Amino acid sequence: MTQVGLLTESQKNELVGQLYDEDSYFNPIQDIDNNWIISVEEMEFCVNPEFQWVKTLPLIEYKPKPSPPFPPID
Amino acid sequence: MIINPYSFGVAYDPDAQAFITAAGITDNTQKSAINTLVVSMKGFGIWTKMKAIYPFVGGTATTHKFNLKNPADTNAAFRLVFAGGWTHTTTGAKPNAINTVADTFLIPSTSLTLNDQHLSYYTRTNSNLTEVEIGCNVVGSPPNTLLEIRTLGITYVSIAAGTYTTYTDPNSLGFYLGSRTASNSIRLFKNGSNVASGTTASTSNPNATLVLGGLNSGTSGIQFRTQKECAFSSIGDGLSVTEAANFYTAVQAFNTTLARQV
């Protein structure tokens, strides 16, 4: 089971456009239930002192939104 | 007077040295590997065909972001910007297939020639899911420029077109290269071998930035994110059969020196 960190809407807004290390940006996305989430890698590798709170986010099972078919229909 | 030649350090190719300096590479094996790669590509006559070369050496996002062909820390130099949970190590950069993407800032419609272009991706991960390793289209619609390495046993390449050249692929390990050299000639190479060829006509270049780690579908977002660890990638002019084989020779020697070849 793949786990991800669960964000509130305001936490998501705080992270958009912000770095978690010198050259890596947070990238919150929505799961199939429209929860805002980040990956456990962003939580683990975050060294930005402003966002150390991500390390204690609650973990939930990752349920992705369905992808379109591949290859795309012409 | 005896002069110790080692006191003056090793003289590297100027392009290799520029990258080493920009990326802050200090390990001598990594420096030597970069230098040999550059010298080999120049010797094979393929250096000038490159727009972007991502060697993923050094083990951090900061060292991995630089374009060997133009190691300036700018979007215009096609330096990568990483987002999401990439894992950077000495073996490469591994995306998580959840929210990872690396933007190259290279837009095919402005930087690539319609019937003369290539994409490459060296994958160290064996998987068989619907994952695009490098690509873009426009809002989910053709034309596509992409490499999709092994979905349900099939690898797909499309360059400036709406249809695909395919290859029945036993695994997703190694150096993949898609090359278009004419309006009716597209080839897929795996580990230097021409494994598929097609006559799919080019239509136009997509007007979106190429990304590593998925398919940039413009306002539709990033789709088909991959989990395949990347140990090299490039974007540039089209390569012939001989040039593609030589390119593999250079890249495989590079990754062998770094003890991460597959």
Side-chain angles (χ1 to χ4, degrees), chain B residues 85-152:
Chain B
W86 291 84
T87 300
H88 298 275
T89 68
T90 54
T91 58
K94 190 172 190 318
N96 64 12
I98 296 173
N99 68 344
T100 38
V101 64
D103 197 338
T104 70
F105 295 91
L106 192 154
I107 300 172
S109 63
T110 57
S111 295
L112 298 179
T113 303
L114 180 62
N115 296 315
D116 183 16
Q117 54 183 293
H118 88 269
L119 308 169
S120 80
Y121 193 100
Y122 192 111
T123 158
R124 288 174 32 82
T125 305
N126 191 21
S127 70
N128 198 18
L129 302 173
T130 307
E131 300 172 353
V132 172
E133 282 60 47
I134 176 171
C136 66
N137 60 18
V138 179
V139 199
S141 300
N144 305 294
T145 291
L146 64 83
L147 276 176
E148 195 286 355
I149 300 172
R150 199 170 182 241
T151 293
L152 301 177

Side-chain angles (χ1 to χ4, degrees), chain B residues 37-73:
Chain B
L37 174 68
V38 172
V39 171
S40 296
M41 291 179 68
K42 289 181 176 178
F44 287 133
I46 53 179
W47 175 258
T48 56
K49 292 177 175 281
M50 300 292 147
K51 306 284 189 194
I53 304 169
Y54 304 109
F56 292 99
V57 64
T60 70
T62 300
T63 61
H64 288 172
K65 73 181 181 180
F66 287 101
N67 171 7
L68 174 58
K69 192 71 192 298
N70 181 2
D73 192 1

Side-chain angles (χ1 to χ4, degrees), chain A residues 20 23 25 27 39 42 68 72 74, chain B residues 62 65 82 84 99 162-164:
Chain A
Y20 65 87
D23 283 293
Y25 286 87
N27 192 20
S39 65
E42 290 158 279
D74 291 351
Chain B
T62 300
K65 73 181 181 180
F82 294 100
N99 68 344
T163 55
Y164 300 84

Side-chain angles (χ1 to χ4, degrees), chain B residues 154-168:
Chain B
I154 305 292
T155 289
Y156 300 78
V157 61
S158 182
I159 296 179
T163 55
Y164 300 84
T165 299
T166 62
Y167 165 58
T168 301

